[in-house]
Amino acid sequence: MTEQEKTALLDKVEQIRSLDPENMYNRIFDLPEQLREALKIAKAWDVDAGDFTEIKNVVVIGMGGSAIGGDLVRTLLSAQLLIPFQVCRHYRVPEFVDDETLVIASSYSGNTEETLSALEDVQERKAMIAAITTGGLLDDVARLNDIPVVHLPSGLQPRAAVGYSFMPLLIFLEKVGLIKGAAAQSEQVIDRLQTLRESYIESEPSNRNPAKRLAAQIHGRIPIIYGGPTLTDVIAVRWKGQICENAKNMAFANQYPEFNHNELVGWSQIIAQHSNHLVVVQLLDADDHPKIRRRMEIVRSIIEKNGVQVLEVSSIGSSPLERMFSLIMIGDFVSYYLAILNGVDPTPVEAIEMLKTALSGAPQTP
């Protein structure tokens, strides 16, 4: 597909929507509204702070789109939270979890088997527990065991519910006294995102739409997304997941400075034969350490010498929360427009459903 053909496709709104029967576009577009609704739900969550005292560490248990909220909160609070914070993607929780551990079980569907298994493990250790879900078995367990639970609106793909997985968790930490000012800051960020998304909407032509341009540059290639060790590490993972699930396009992610000590060696002359099939996206943030920024500059030159294009995307905003969600928003739009260029419906995740069916032992349909 030529650049002109890509532009022509992405600038035809009716053709875009014909490939999106389940309306993933609006799920992405409505992120600010989702965050606002999630904030409202979180504020109304009746939490007795007296049940959550002397917390020595925090563990979020979840998988996929439900766990990404935990990762985002962990990253956002890394410079201010005075106790360890970990996200557990497993059937069991770490051995240190005990009655001084705050555990938040997050499962959008409420039926994620890894999360339910880990929750059973947590209960045996007498940890302090809260839950975030739309219903399902997690809700049943919470009700039976008097676990505080916040109920989210249902009907979304978990990856399209990032605002719902993020905001209640953040506000819960404020309610139990671990952080301050989260609710007030969130209101400001939501207003900013509503303005920012205007540049990415489907009716904005490619020559003025950064998300469409990035999607066109990535199209036909495997993107490798690199983020820094602080704000953008988890966002690189989010970009990878969205591109894989929405665009059905393989993608990979890693972070500075760790990959400079191993993966970097793979950017050698041998990779040149694959250069037309690869593209690198570097996520930049205003608070990147000066030495990280210098590494990014040097690594870019190394990669480009081997014929692979390097694209750079900078966060926008004055606060870490605003900059974080600015990168999430453009990444989600990029994954959507890449799905359109790939000619695929962005909503279904057939490979994941096939895996779940196989694990359940149910017969698979051809």
Side-chain angles (χ1 to χ4, degrees), residues 18-307:
S18 70
L19 290 168
D20 183 24
E22 296 183 63
N23 205 9
M24 179 59 77
Y25 175 83
N26 274 29
R27 310 302 188 198
I28 292 171
F29 180 84
D30 289 342
L31 177 59
E33 286 76 17
Q34 183 184 125
L35 285 166
R36 194 178 300 281
E37 176 67 14
L39 179 59
K40 179 180 177 181
I41 292 170
K43 285 182 175 179
W45 190 1
D46 186 15
V47 176
D48 185 350
D51 292 336
F52 301 89
T53 60
E54 298 184 12
I55 299 168
K56 297 297 189 294
N57 50 76
V58 179
V59 174
V60 174
I61 53 176
M63 299 296 299
S66 297
I68 195 72
D71 278 322
L72 292 169
V73 172
R74 170 187 58 78
T75 295
L76 182 68
L77 301 181
S78 62
Q80 57 180 291
L81 200 61
L82 300 179
I83 58 176
F85 187 126
Q86 182 172 332
V87 178
C88 174
R89 292 172 165 86
H90 193 23
Y91 290 88
R92 294 190 60 192
V93 294
E95 195 59 32
F96 66 77
V97 171
D98 59 18
D99 60 355
E100 294 182 319
T101 302
L102 168 62
V103 175
I104 301 100
S106 178
S107 169
Y108 184 75
S109 70
N111 296 314
T112 309
E113 67 173 21
E114 298 95 330
T115 305
L116 292 170
S117 175
L119 179 58
E120 185 176 351
D121 188 18
V122 165
Q123 288 177 283
E124 294 176 358
R125 298 165 187 248
K126 309 298 183 183
M128 295 170 275
I129 310 172
I132 300 171
T133 187
T134 61
L137 291 175
L138 177 56
D139 188 36
D140 294 340
V141 172
R143 290 180 183 277
L144 286 172
N145 293 276
D146 295 322
I147 296 171
V149 58
V150 66
H151 295 102
L152 309 176
S154 60
L156 300 175
Q157 289 279 345
R159 67 187 185 276
V162 64
Y164 290 130
S165 68
F166 171 83
M167 193 62 73
L169 174 55
L170 183 70
I171 301 305
F172 179 85
L173 296 181
E174 184 171 29
K175 285 177 177 286
V176 299
L178 291 179
I179 58 173
K180 296 179 180 180
Q185 186 181 94
S186 297
E187 292 279 7
Q188 299 173 357
V189 169
I190 292 166
D191 292 339
R192 177 68 174 129
L193 290 175
Q194 287 180 306
T195 300
L196 187 61
R197 71 179 171 190
E198 295 302 313
S199 298
Y200 312 137
I201 60 177
E202 58 188 354
S203 58
E204 188 72 6
S206 295
N207 63 349
R208 297 199 302 267
N209 191 319
K212 287 184 178 181
R213 290 201 303 272
L214 278 167
Q217 290 173 299
I218 293 171
H219 180 247
R221 296 186 282 184
I222 296 173
I224 301 167
I225 302 103
Y226 289 140
T230 50
L231 191 71
T232 57
D233 60 346
V234 64
I235 303 174
V237 176
R238 168 73 178 182
W239 273 57
K240 179 202 72 172
Q242 290 294 86
I243 289 171
C244 286
E245 291 193 77
N246 288 342
K248 285 57 177 182
N249 198 121
M250 183 55 73
F252 298 93
N254 213 328
Q255 69 178 72
Y256 284 91
E258 171 58 27
F259 90 87
N260 291 174
H261 296 266
N262 38 69
E263 184 175 310
L264 180 62
V265 183
W267 293 106
S268 65
Q269 292 181 349
I270 296 173
I271 206 72
Q273 62 186 307
H274 305 295
S275 61
N276 291 334
H277 305 291
L278 300 171
V279 61
V280 169
V281 180
Q282 296 205 123
L283 303 180
L284 313 180
D285 182 65
D287 279 350
D288 285 335
H289 192 283
K291 290 189 175 181
I292 294 297
R293 187 58 67 94
R294 180 58 180 150
R295 283 177 180 270
M296 289 179 169
E297 295 170 355
I298 295 170
V299 168
R300 174 172 184 157
S301 66
I302 291 172
I303 294 172
E304 289 179 335
K305 284 179 181 177
N306 290 290

